Amino acid sequence: MAVHWGGVVAIVVFYMLILSVGLWAARKTRGQTDPEEVMVAGRNIGVFVGIFTMTATWVGGGYINGTAEYVYSSGLIWAQAPWGYALSLVLGGILFAKVMRKQGYVTMLDPFQIKYGSRMGGLLFLPALMGELFWSAAILAALGATISVILELDINISVIISACITVAYTFFGGLYSVAYTDVVQLICIFFGLWLCIPFALTHEAVQPIMENTEWLGTWDTKYAGQWIDFALLLVFGGIPWQVYFQRVLSSKSAERAQMLSFIAAAGCIVMAVPSVLIGAIARNTIWNQTLIPDPNLPADDPKLILPLVIQYLTPTIVSFIGLGAVSAAVMSSADSSILSASSMFVRNVYKLVFRQGATENELLWCMRITMIVVGIAATALGLTIKSVYELWFLCSDFVFVILFPQLFCVVYFAKCNTYGSLSAYIIGLFLRLAGGDATLKVPVLIKYPFYDEAEQAQLFPFRTLAMAVSFITLLVVSYSLDYLFKSGVLRPEWDIFQCVVNLQPSVDKYGSVEAENVQLNQLGPDMEALGSGLPNDPIQREKLLDVGKGITAGMPVSVSTEPLKEDIVEDSPTTSSEEQPPNYDDI
């Protein structure tokens, strides 16, 4: 096989562009030793960059390749991800963006640890990590597929090389680099794909897409349950992701975070249009009339459909520009997932569970090492799972079933506690795994209604069922035990998680106490619902709650007398309620 040197040059140029922008943006963190500055970019992301980076939450390698793949193989009616993720951004903005940003969190897992304690928060880290791993794997698989077409290398080698480049780039850049490269990424995708479409549409081997509409797909009521299941999975399972909340939490204000979510939803739809057209073009192409070496390749390996269309249905120079731009763009989208996974691990697991006294320099190096580990794991997944779109759906699977009900309850139900959270976690996980999964080769333990024996497939929306049961379990267990303990039916010493009545003394509640450094071990059970006007810093808010509960006896003077931080929000009037001193009577 001959290497396409023109394609190599195009990729090198676009890679250097992305790398240069990333390193230029990294200058903003020069001299910074605070890992939180790297995680949320100093909460200083502006409107222009914010729109691009919020849109890039989902628009990346998996998005554009997966959409084209499913339009080609199954039809537009079954390509749910573009509008599904767009709706997830809308609902995320309505339900969570504003309230999470007001609280001043650093990661998505912070409210869980404030409510349930650091160890339960660490347990909830696992499905969040799995989601980020699967998403990173989908991006790397898409990037490897594109490079394999250009360079005619084995796709496994392409994935490994791509992973090494991505991890090396992410190692040096924080969220500033992620955000600024997102601008270049979306521009490359938009102009690179639209440049190719006119040439592909007018290729002699392509039939008119408006005359042959097979690419629209056909509706089969037999699979209606699966369609509903995947639709809800994408809409609600697309919300509780650190890649989304790291953009939300880096915004200058809560209102801006909400606004950017709404604008990004429209951006997702716009950016999906060229991928849909490429899938339709591929479906209407007579491949044996092209220069492709194997005309059966598109049908045998549909995840290659987007680079195949660009490579064989456009002129050489156009294909080099298109493939190079797409390759560079999807590479830049991998860094956000790797950064997200490492941020959650370092802040919510390593720091709060294992090394509460870790220095900032130690945490920074721990984050960098974690990036390498996440990159290796994502590469292994990208090499073993065949379909980008299956991998894409799997990204949201465990997040939807486990994390969405947990996130909704921790925000909107004040009496949820560790007992309910743990019970919901176990039941939701069991019901999801019991349904089996061909992608992960998990056998079927429970055959839900309408199970298809011939196809060995679950036709019932069992993922949605598992999520609903998990949600109900969390509320029923939490509120029941809250009543039983507080009414005296259950003895206080039976509160083994010490989260309802058998509370730890406040001096034991904090693992270490220094004048400006308080680490949380276990947090208060009766915390107000989020958005209740408490201070934005989680540590400061927790100390204020302790004061309100009257459990400050024995607390070191450095904690009880330390002034509470103000919530300073840029672009907000000085008289806004967010900057007013906390009202102790409301606690």
Side-chain angles (χ1 to χ4, degrees):
M1 294 186 294
V3 175
H4 294 177
W5 291 108
V8 173
V9 172
I11 281 189
V12 169
V13 170
F14 282 106
Y15 273 18
M16 292 302 297
L17 175 62
I18 295 292
L19 185 60
S20 299
V21 171
L23 293 178
W24 173 81
R27 297 183 308 166
K28 292 178 175 289
T29 60
R30 183 176 299 171
Q32 288 287 343
T33 58
D34 185 359
E36 294 183 5
E37 180 74 15
V38 177
M39 296 176 191
V40 293
R43 306 191 194 278
N44 196 35
I45 298 297
V47 174
F48 177 77
V49 175
I51 290 173
F52 278 88
T53 192
M54 190 71 80
T55 303
T57 299
W58 293 122
V59 178
Y63 189 89
I64 61 175
N65 280 270
T67 300
E69 173 190 342
Y70 241 58
V71 170
Y72 166 75
S73 61
S74 302
L76 179 62
I77 194 172
W78 298 97
Q80 303 163 295
W83 60 265
Y85 280 129
L87 282 178
S88 78
L89 287 171
V90 172
L91 292 178
I94 294 172
L95 297 175
F96 300 105
K98 198 171 184 178
V99 67
M100 293 283 281
R101 176 60 186 89
K102 278 185 177 180
Q103 298 303 313
Y105 297 127
V106 177
T107 74
M108 177 187 69
L109 297 181
D110 284 353
F112 296 118
Q113 290 186 306
I114 290 177
K115 189 73 171 178
Y116 305 136
S118 59
R119 287 166 179 79
M120 188 65 212
L123 188 61
L124 290 168
F125 164 73
L126 296 177
L129 172 65
M130 295 295 289
E132 299 294 351
L133 278 176
F134 289 138
W135 178 242
S136 299
I139 293 171
L140 292 173
L143 183 56
T146 303
I147 293 179
S148 69
V149 170
I150 300 174
L151 306 182
E152 295 193 1
L153 290 173
D154 179 81
I155 192 168
N156 293 342
I157 297 176
S158 302
V159 170
I160 293 172
I161 294 175
S162 303
C164 292
I165 294 173
T166 303
V167 171
Y169 163 75
T170 309
F171 189 89
F172 293 103
L175 186 58
Y176 273 121
S177 295
V178 171
Y180 280 87
T181 54
D182 284 340
V183 176
V184 180
Q185 168 197 359
L186 293 187
I187 293 174
C188 287
I189 291 176
F190 187 81
F191 288 103
L193 293 184
W194 278 111
L195 176 65
C196 297
I197 286 174
F199 295 98
L201 277 172
T202 56
H203 192 279
E204 59 185 10
V206 178
Q207 300 174 340
I209 62 173
M210 297 310 296
E211 294 180 9
N212 185 359
T213 58
E214 291 183 359
W215 59 274
L216 294 175
T218 57
W219 177 258
D220 189 343
T221 55
K222 175 182 177 181
Y223 300 103
Q226 285 188 342
W227 192 93
I228 293 172
D229 204 20
F230 285 132
L232 294 175
L233 182 151
L234 291 169
V235 172
F236 295 103
I239 296 175
W241 288 74
Q242 174 62 13
V243 288
Y244 169 61
F245 281 106
Q246 73 182 1
R247 272 102 170 176
V248 167
L249 299 175
S250 68
S251 297
K252 288 186 176 181
S253 67
E255 291 73 17
R256 180 174 293 181
Q258 188 177 58
M259 177 195 69
L260 293 178
S261 296
F262 298 152
I263 297 175
C268 281
I269 298 297
V270 172
M271 297 300 294
V273 173
S275 291
V276 170
L277 290 176
I278 287 177
I281 292 169
R283 186 64 179 263
N284 287 276
T285 299
I286 304 173
W287 287 99
N288 57 15
Q289 295 181 9
T290 67
L291 298 178
I292 189 171
D294 181 8
N296 296 320
L297 182 59
D300 295 339
D301 199 354
K303 74 177 179 180
L304 295 175
I305 202 63
L306 185 140
L308 288 176
V309 167
I310 296 176
Q311 179 76 0
Y312 294 106
L313 299 182
T314 63
T316 303
I317 185 64
V318 174
S319 68
F320 288 165
I321 294 174
L323 289 169
V326 171
S327 298
V330 297
M331 178 193 70
S332 72
S333 63
D335 58 5
S336 60
S337 287
I338 294 174
L339 176 64
S340 296
S342 60
S343 297
M344 289 188 294
F345 174 77
V346 170
R347 175 174 172 80
N348 301 107
V349 178
Y350 185 81
K351 178 181 178 181
L352 291 182
V353 178
F354 298 113
R355 287 280 296 165
Q356 298 174 3
T359 63
E360 291 181 342
N361 190 55
E362 177 185 345
L363 295 175
L364 276 175
W365 278 104
C366 179
M367 182 181 298
R368 289 171 176 169
I369 294 172
T370 305
M371 290 177 185
I372 297 175
V373 174
V374 171
I376 293 173
T379 302
L381 287 171
L383 293 175
T384 55
I385 298 179
K386 184 177 180 181
S387 171
V388 171
Y389 214 79
E390 288 177 3
L391 197 60
W392 195 5
F393 274 129
L394 200 57
C395 292
S396 296
D397 234 31
F398 295 105
V399 174
F400 171 57
V401 171
I402 298 174
L403 282 186
F404 177 73
Q406 299 273 356
L407 181 64
F408 190 87
C409 288
V410 81
V411 170
Y412 289 104
F413 294 92
K415 292 187 178 180
C416 288
N417 54 49
T418 309
Y419 298 103
S421 177
L422 182 60
S423 301
Y425 187 106
I426 294 172
I427 291 177
L429 180 63
F430 171 76
L431 291 177
R432 170 59 190 90
L433 292 178
D437 191 278
T439 306
L440 293 181
K441 298 180 174 59
V442 176
V444 175
L445 298 179
I446 299 177
K447 295 181 180 180
Y448 292 95
F450 313 115
Y451 182 79
D452 191 320
E453 295 286 354
E455 297 183 6
Q456 299 290 301
Q458 302 278 8
L459 302 182
F460 185 80
F462 72 100
R463 296 172 182 84
T464 303
L465 174 66
M467 186 277 293
V469 172
S470 178
F471 176 79
I472 294 171
T473 300
L474 200 158
L475 293 180
V476 170
V477 173
S478 294
Y479 277 72
S480 297
L481 288 178
D482 183 84
Y483 171 77
L484 292 174
F485 275 119
K486 291 182 177 179
S487 64
V489 176
L490 297 179
R491 299 170 62 182
E493 55 266 30
W494 292 351
D495 182 12
I496 58 174
F497 289 151
Q498 299 177 324
C499 62
V500 182
V501 290
N502 186 23
L503 303 178
Q504 285 183 316
S506 59
V507 70
D508 297 328
K509 193 174 183 180
Y510 301 95
S512 63
V513 179
E514 300 173 4
E516 295 294 333
N517 181 25
V518 181
Q519 306 292 346
L520 299 180
N521 273 336
Q522 181 178 347
L523 300 157
D526 292 327
M527 188 188 77
E528 298 287 342
L530 301 186
S532 58
L534 295 175
N536 279 12
D537 186 280
I539 306 299
Q540 299 288 337
R541 182 168 59 258
E542 178 63 18
K543 288 185 286 185
L544 180 56
L545 287 169
D546 279 350
V547 173
K549 294 171 188 172
I551 57 172
T552 55
M555 182 176 286
V557 174
S558 61
V559 174
S560 60
T561 61
E562 183 182 353
L564 296 168
K565 297 178 182 177
E566 294 181 354
D567 176 25
I568 300 177
V569 180
E570 296 190 31
D571 302 332
S572 298
T574 56
T575 58
S576 71
S577 60
E578 292 180 12
E579 294 185 342
Q580 296 301 317
N583 185 354
Y584 288 80
D585 294 332
D586 293 337
I587 302 176

